Each structure stands twice: as C-alpha cells, then as structure tokens.
Amino acid sequence: MTVAATPAPSPATAGEQSGVRLARSRRNAELSLLLLAMVLVAAYGATVEANLLDTVTADFWMPAAALGAVFLGLHLVIRFLAPFADPALLPAVALLNGLGVGFLRRIDLGEAPVADRENLAIFAGIGGRQLAWTLGAVILAAGLLAIMRDHRSISRYAYTLGLAGIVLVMLPAVLPASISERNGAKLWIDLGAFSIQPGEFAKLALLVFFAYYLVRKREVLSLASRRFLGVDFPRGRDLGPVIGVWLVSLLVLVFEKDLGTSLLYFGMFVVTLYIATERVSWLLIGLVLFFGGAYLAYVLGSTVGGPFANFYLRAEIWLDPFADPTDKGYQLVQGLLALGTGGLFGAGPGGGQPDILPEVQNDFIFAGIGEELGLFGLSALLVVYLLIVERGLRAALAVRDSFGKLLAGGLAFTLGLQVFVIVGGISKLIPLTGQTTPFLSAGGSSLMANWLLIAVLLRVSDGARRPLAGGAAKAARPAGGPPEQIHGAPTEVIKP
C-alpha cells in the first residue's frame, strides 16, 4: 500500500496559520492577570490593617473588590471594542492603580483616631476620593475606546490638538500665582473646590500633533548635512522645529518654575523625532540644548534672579539638601531618610511613618511606599512600569502605519520619562519636580490623563495585533507607489 506524503504547507497556508495565531485575542489571559492583580491589592490592604490595627477587619477586601468591579467593566469594554489589544496593559496598570489607592487608604488609617480606624468608610479620606477618581478615569478611558475605533482617526485633529496643547501648557504660567501655584511650581488651576493640572492633558494633545507632523516631515528632517565623529548631523535649516520646542520648554522652566514638566515636553518631542528619523544626532542636539538651557537658567538665577530665582533655589536644594534640613531642604531630606529607613525589605505595609513626609500623597508617594516596601518592593513597582513601557513600544513596532508607530512610541516613552523624573527627584538624581507618579499619586488630573494614555495604547495595540483581511494589505497601499517605510516595516500613509 502506497502512503501519500503530506505536502509541505504553501506560503498561503503558512500565512493563514500565522493569521490564526495572531487572531487569538488573549482576553482570558488578561482577565486572569487582572484577578491576580486584585488579589495582590487585597493582600496589601490586609497587611496594612494587620500592622496598623493589630487585626484584619471583615471588610478589608472591599476596596479591592470595588476596584476589581471597575476594572472588570473596562475589561468587558476591551473584550468587545478592542478584542486584540495587548493583554498585559490593563492588569499592570490596574495593579499600580490599586496599590496607589491602598497606600492612600493606609495614610487615612494612620491619620484617623485609633478608635475610628476599624470603621473607616471605603470612600472616606484621600483613598476614598482616589477610588472615586479611578471610577471616573476608567469610564473616560472606556469612552475613548468607544469613540476612537481607529487610532488614525485622531490625526484629523492634529493641528487643533497641537494648539490646544500649547494653550493648556501656557495657561497656568499666565494666571495669577494665587490660583496656579503650589509648592513653588505654577502647574495648577485652582478655582475653589475645583482644581485641574492642565499639563497632564497637554502632553497627550501635543504627542498627537508631534506624531502627525513628523510623519510628514521626517524625510526632510532625516537629511544629513555633514558627518562629525561618526554621527550624521542635520542641516541648519532643519533645526527650526527643535529650536521652537526648546524655547517653549525653557519658557515652561522659567515661568512655570518646574524642571520636570520642561524636560517631559522637550524629551517626548526629541525622542519622537528620533523614532521618526533614526538619527542619533537629534538626541545629541536635544541633550545639549536642554542641559545648556537649564545651566543658563541656573546662572541667570544666581545673578539676575527674577523669574529664574525659583529654579536656582531648587537647584541649590538639590546640590546640598542637608545645608538647611529643617526648612528649604526638609522635604528632600525626609524623602531620602524614608528610603534609607526602608532598606532592602522595608518596614512592611502599614509599618512606616509616611505622615512625616510632606506631600506624601502626591510628589513623594514613591518615598512613602519605599519606606514600607523597601528597595525590593520599589524595584518590583519599577518593573511593572517597565513592562507597560515595553508593551507600548512593542505595539509601536508591530503597528502597520507610521502615525501609529510614532504615537505609541511617544506615549510609551513619555510614561517612562515621567516615572524617571519623579523617581529621580526624590532620590536626588535630578532637582525636585512637580510631577506626580503615574497611577499612584493622588489627584484626578494625572489619573485621568494617564488612563487616556493607556486607552490610546490599547487602541494602537489592537490595530497592531488584529489580523489583516484578505486584501487589506493591498488596500492599505497608497495609490501611485509602494507603502511608506519606517524602520524597515511597510506602513500606510495617513491622509485624513
């Protein structure tokens, strides 16, 4: 009996098999990771109560359950509206957000009278407000996913968003200090019980504009003028956009009195420019411009004063916080002592003294958590942030259009840079900033803006992982020539 050999799979068959692998939505994996994250949040809350109350109350699980219900709702939205989105993004962010709510509730328990601690309501204090803000932020993210079915659609409003971003950045600088300044930095708009940090939303609007602009200008910006020390430098006439954004970042540094915000805006533009052009020279030019501008502001602050005085004072505190440890350097000194007290393993959740730290619920929440979780605990949190950034960059590499690549890459880098700015500030690596730690710090503006950022990454990753229909690849090719190339991958031209 003759047995016919099984024919090798044809290229089409192999492609179909690959398409089947890509078609797996991984939503069940996302759900499993999400449940694991909520178990960790509940365990953290139980440990806090054990240390602070010497007992674990019967309702210790309620904050984690409330958060789990909120995140489960978003999971269902993703399951139906973005079924191919990255399955690791939501659980990682939910873990950070949940631990942030748990730590803020721990502060509320520590500040409450001993007799009232066991009966502290779930929505009481800073932790309760953060839980409510989480609900609002997640609803906002779900709404964005419902409205924006294709990430390329927002490129139609790039110039409008760019203008709105500039207005949001500059608004606190032109308002009176009585309604815009906190802790020396003019980043807020305070109107009675209502307050907002417009710069948090400005970064998203500006990134959309940067991505749209650089998709169209990257061929010009990639041209080299001369080669120096093995690096191809751009033509002088092409420095205009970088000089413009640099000047705006210096204005932010001087008039809003915050190094972190200035570094964040300038850094995300330069890195997006590097992603678009693959020219290392843009990174070198950006570093020289920023550090040169910061040093110039420091020198002017020591000689001229005026609008440069605040940055000079922050730089002096950074250089030697122990010169005045009870006044000007008090916040940084206490943060360093908290990190040192935590050591490798920390005092345990609920075992530290975060109430001593000024602004522990905002700027210095990482130092307060570090005292109780130690170096290993902080390293684990940084790994979770790194995972979110990595998944964002993976979506940028996988998505098929240039706009999506620049947008996702810029968003992922911006999140990582914001974490670096705040952690570098409390660890004395760079001067203190007015930035908040994403998903951990108290405040609605930061939480909502960062959940919107995650929603955009989810939408881009959904487009990247979604299998192409039969003729979609050919349909994506613009008439009159081959598809664009960015980092060697075929992409489509966006013509809104």
Side-chain angles (χ1 to χ4, degrees):
M1 182 177 63
T2 304
V3 179
T6 303
S10 65
T13 304
E16 291 170 2
Q17 292 174 350
S18 176
V20 170
R21 288 196 298 270
L22 287 175
R24 295 176 60 189
S25 66
R26 307 300 299 274
R27 299 277 65 82
N28 290 334
E30 178 184 81
L31 179 60
S32 301
L33 291 173
L34 186 58
L35 293 176
L36 175 61
M38 292 302 99
V39 169
L40 293 176
V41 172
Y44 177 83
T47 309
V48 166
E49 290 192 357
N51 284 327
L52 279 177
L53 311 178
D54 292 328
T55 185
V56 178
T57 62
D59 56 356
F60 78 93
W61 53 272
M62 289 184 63
L67 287 167
V70 172
F71 297 138
L72 179 61
L74 182 57
H75 163 76
L76 293 176
V77 171
I78 295 172
R79 183 176 285 268
F80 289 103
L81 298 183
F84 298 97
D86 193 299
L89 282 174
L90 176 59
V93 176
L95 177 61
L96 292 173
N97 199 160
L99 291 177
V101 172
F103 181 77
L104 294 173
R105 181 172 172 80
R106 176 258 177 276
I107 295 176
D108 294 330
L109 287 171
E111 293 178 349
V114 176
D116 299 334
R117 289 180 177 178
E118 291 189 20
N119 300 317
L120 187 68
I122 185 175
F123 285 103
I126 303 173
R129 287 197 298 272
Q130 189 73 352
L131 183 56
W133 278 121
T134 300
L135 174 60
V138 170
I139 291 175
L140 200 62
L144 182 61
L145 285 173
I147 295 171
M148 185 180 64
R149 297 303 181 94
D150 189 331
H151 62 271
R152 294 168 295 183
S153 62
I154 57 176
S155 65
R156 302 170 185 168
Y157 313 103
Y159 287 102
T160 303
L161 290 172
L163 178 61
I166 294 174
V167 171
L168 290 173
V169 168
M170 292 303 179
L171 194 56
V174 300
L175 292 175
S178 59
I179 63 173
S180 64
E181 186 169 330
R182 290 186 186 179
N183 301 319
K186 298 186 66 175
L187 301 173
W188 292 85
I189 299 177
D190 289 318
L191 300 173
F194 174 78
S195 64
I196 186 174
Q197 193 172 358
E200 291 288 343
F201 300 95
K203 65 185 181 185
L204 301 179
L206 290 174
L207 266 172
V208 173
F209 170 72
F210 291 160
Y212 180 86
Y213 174 81
L214 292 173
V215 164
R216 279 147 184 77
K217 300 296 182 181
R218 74 166 181 266
E219 297 297 336
V220 174
L221 296 172
S222 298
L223 295 176
S225 173
R226 60 185 62 184
R227 189 175 183 85
F228 180 70
L229 296 179
V231 178
D232 293 319
F233 283 87
R235 302 176 302 177
R237 73 185 76 170
D238 299 328
L239 293 175
V242 174
I243 298 297
V245 178
W246 174 67
L247 290 174
V248 171
S249 68
L250 285 185
L251 291 175
V252 170
L253 175 64
V254 172
F255 293 103
E256 296 193 355
K257 308 174 185 178
D258 187 62
L259 175 68
T261 304
S262 175
L263 176 60
L264 185 66
Y265 294 143
F266 187 64
M268 69 185 189
F269 175 75
V270 171
V271 168
T272 308
L273 178 58
Y274 167 70
I275 295 173
T277 62
E278 302 182 74
R279 293 290 186 191
V280 178
S281 56
W282 285 118
L283 294 178
L284 299 177
I285 292 171
L287 289 173
V288 170
L289 285 175
F290 183 81
F291 287 110
Y295 180 73
L296 178 62
Y298 173 78
V299 172
L300 292 175
S302 64
T303 56
V304 177
F308 304 95
N310 183 271
F311 176 69
Y312 173 76
L313 176 61
R314 288 201 174 204
E316 286 293 298
I317 294 173
W318 168 60
L319 290 172
D320 189 6
F322 291 93
D324 191 3
T326 60
D327 187 13
K328 295 177 181 178
Y330 180 75
Q331 186 180 27
L332 182 54
V333 166
Q334 292 300 319
L336 293 173
L337 290 176
L339 292 174
T341 302
L344 291 177
F345 302 100
Q353 295 179 300
D355 52 296
I356 298 177
L357 279 171
E359 299 295 330
V360 67
Q361 75 277 11
N362 293 318
D363 300 8
F364 272 67
I365 192 170
F366 214 73
I369 294 176
E371 182 185 9
E372 298 192 342
L373 298 186
L375 178 62
F376 288 165
L378 289 185
S379 298
L381 289 179
L382 290 177
V383 168
V384 176
Y385 279 115
L386 184 62
L387 173 65
I388 297 172
V389 173
E390 185 271 334
R391 304 305 286 198
L393 294 177
R394 174 176 290 190
L397 290 172
V399 74
R400 290 172 284 271
D401 65 283
S402 300
F403 176 75
K405 288 180 180 293
L406 295 183
L407 181 62
L411 289 172
F413 172 79
T414 299
L415 181 65
L417 180 60
Q418 186 168 351
V419 174
F420 165 78
V421 164
I422 187 63
V423 174
I426 66 172
S427 60
K428 199 179 170 293
L429 181 62
I430 61 175
L432 280 176
T433 70
Q435 292 292 314
T436 56
T437 310
F439 307 110
L440 289 177
S441 297
S445 299
S446 174
L447 197 60
M448 287 188 172
N450 284 303
W451 268 108
L452 287 175
L453 183 152
I454 294 300
V456 177
L457 285 181
L458 286 168
R459 176 55 70 201
V460 174
S461 67
D462 176 66
R465 294 162 56 88
R466 184 181 296 272
L468 286 174
K474 295 182 179 179
R477 180 173 298 181
E484 289 184 279
Q485 295 285 327
I486 181 168
H487 290 200
T491 58
E492 58 181 314
V493 177
I494 308 302
K495 292 188 177 181

